[in-house]
Amino acid sequence: MAYVVLTPDVQTFARPSWRPEEDEREIVELPLHAAMQHSRGHLWRYPPGVKGRRHRQTVQEEVFVVLEGTLTMVLGEEAERVELPPRSIVFVEPMTPVHVLNESDADVLFFAYGAPADRGAEILE
């Protein structure tokens, strides 16, 4: 099929397939619904207090779009903290450290998109 439409009623949030033991963050993995060969995209829901893993993509550039809530991102080698209200957009170049957190008291919903499709993330501690 040349296109896929995912209306809200068919978007099922679940644990990330690559980390099934995780029980805090929820995701709609778009590659499970569409044949995304050249990019990756995910719809993430972070409950209050939840944080992702600090990482950097080795090849992939990423775009983050905040849809609901206030997302906190810690970006760059110097670890700059940025508070992002709804409709904020962040562009991240490859090899840039990224840490995504929800430090608010409400759920955060955001869309993360990256290209080229590459899972070569380096986890930073």
Side-chain angles (χ1 to χ4, degrees), residues 39-84:
S39 64
R40 292 186 327 146
H42 302 296
L43 186 60
W44 285 97
R45 180 185 301 141
Y46 277 38
V50 169
K51 59 184 176 181
R53 298 167 77 184
R54 187 168 185 259
H55 70 283
R56 68 174 144 222
Q57 295 291 340
T58 56
V59 176
Q60 181 174 271
E61 57 189 19
E62 294 180 295
V63 178
F64 297 86
V65 180
V66 182
L67 302 172
E68 297 175 2
T70 299
L71 182 67
T72 300
M73 293 184 78
V74 180
L75 301 163
E77 294 292 339
E78 300 298 319
E80 179 182 353
R81 179 177 300 277
V82 182
E83 300 293 326
L84 303 160

Side-chain angles (χ1 to χ4, degrees), residues 18-38:
W18 61 92
R19 295 191 67 202
E21 72 284 357
E22 188 168 320
D23 61 355
E24 296 177 322
R25 302 183 298 168
E26 296 180 324
I27 186 172
V28 176
E29 293 183 58
L30 300 184
L32 298 180
H33 301 278
M36 299 179 75
Q37 298 175 15
H38 306 289

